[in-house]
Amino acid sequence: MSGASTEIAVAPVTPLRIIILGATSAIAEATARLWAPGGARILLAGRNEARLNEIASDLKARGAAEAIDWPLDCASANASAELGKMVDRLGGLDILLLAYGVLGEQAELERDPAAAARLITTNFSSAAAWCLAATAVLEKQGAGTLLVIGSVAGDRGRRSNFIYGATKGGLALLVEGIAHKLAPLGARAVIIKPGFVDTPMTAAIANKGPLWAKPEAIAASIVRAGEKGGPEIYAPGFWRGIMIVIRNLPVAIFNKINI
């Protein structure tokens, strides 16, 4: 009895189609480097065209099937119109990573209402517009993931950074609501909450201690969030426990702590 050979059809692996807003940030670049070896097609949006070109070349060398530099001021762009062009360029969207934002200096922000307004526009208003535009795309597709970099600073208002913290707290609430909306449709949204990260944005802060993480550690958490989990992750994970304690400190004790 002769046996007939059976061929098993293997579906082709489709490269991830990824958009990164604020692609020149240290965390965004580190994350893109983790996606590149899998042959991802990555669109890099940011203001510094020269840096975008450098990052795109590096990602191609690391295995990215495509790395598209897309010069853009994300904070002032028409999010819906611009995202439509980006998605058309990629032929769809698997992951959008929102990675831009500014830290600001609390005392200066309190003295200068215009500076505070600019920070709020960048960190919340413009970011919210991108999140809502991405939600419309993911809802229509019934698939894909929105990843947004927030901060543990948004978990409880503190005298040292409550204006910045307010923008991140509002953004977290927005993303959690989007996650709830998308869940029945097969798409996801995740807010990533890093603690202290050693990046150029925090270069002026001295005496970095054991709670500080490198961008590469945050990037690994972001990549995992792109695959599963959510709607909220802390990066590194030990920050979840720290923030549970901080959120639940009685006001009488909290007000005596300079954090």
Side-chain angles (χ1 to χ4, degrees):
M1 179 178 177
S2 60
S5 62
T6 302
E7 293 186 1
I8 300 174
V10 178
V13 177
T14 303
L16 286 173
R17 297 160 298 181
I18 300 169
I19 294 170
I20 302 179
L21 306 175
T24 60
S25 79
I27 293 174
E29 184 177 1
T31 307
R33 287 179 173 180
L34 295 180
W35 277 320
R41 298 174 60 216
I42 307 174
L43 188 149
L44 306 161
R47 291 181 298 177
N48 189 329
E49 187 170 3
R51 279 290 293 134
L52 291 175
N53 289 333
E54 291 173 3
I55 294 168
S57 296
D58 176 67
L59 295 178
K60 291 173 187 175
R62 292 173 183 269
E66 191 173 14
I68 307 158
D69 51 286
W70 196 283
L72 180 72
D73 183 350
C74 297
S76 62
N78 182 322
S80 182
E82 204 67 39
L83 183 59
K85 291 186 284 186
M86 293 173 174
V87 173
D88 285 346
R89 175 66 177 80
L90 290 174
L93 177 63
D94 296 306
I95 294 174
L96 185 144
L97 171 61
L98 194 156
Y100 73 88
V102 292
L103 182 59
E105 200 279 315
Q106 179 69 29
E108 179 186 351
L109 295 171
E110 290 185 49
R111 289 193 304 267
D112 186 351
R118 287 193 296 272
L119 182 137
I120 292 167
T121 296
T122 298
N123 287 2
F124 180 74
S125 301
S126 71
W130 283 105
C131 288
L132 293 173
T135 300
V137 173
L138 300 180
E139 184 176 13
K140 184 177 180 179
Q141 292 182 165
T145 303
L146 168 65
L147 302 174
V148 179
I149 299 178
S151 171
V152 297
D155 278 18
R156 187 167 187 177
R158 296 177 289 121
R159 63 174 68 104
S160 61
N161 67 353
F162 60 80
I163 298 176
Y164 171 81
T167 64
K168 294 302 184 179
L171 190 59
L173 189 63
L174 177 75
V175 175
E176 289 165 11
I178 290 171
H180 194 221
K181 175 183 175 67
L182 292 177
L185 307 176
R188 297 188 305 122
V190 185
I191 184 77
I192 296 104
K193 296 183 175 182
F196 303 128
V197 188
D198 189 3
T199 68
M201 191 167 74
T202 58
I205 300 175
N207 302 320
K208 295 180 173 68
L211 294 180
W212 285 76
K214 293 294 184 182
E216 291 76 13
I218 310 304
S221 295
I222 293 171
V223 169
R224 288 193 295 271
E227 297 168 352
K228 61 181 180 180
E232 170 193 80
I233 68 165
Y234 287 81
F238 61 73
W239 278 100
R240 181 178 296 276
I242 292 174
M243 296 316 297
I244 286 173
V245 172
I246 290 176
R247 284 198 308 270
N248 289 284
L249 281 174
V251 172
I253 296 174
F254 185 70
N255 285 348
K256 294 178 182 178
I257 302 173
N258 188 22
I259 59 173

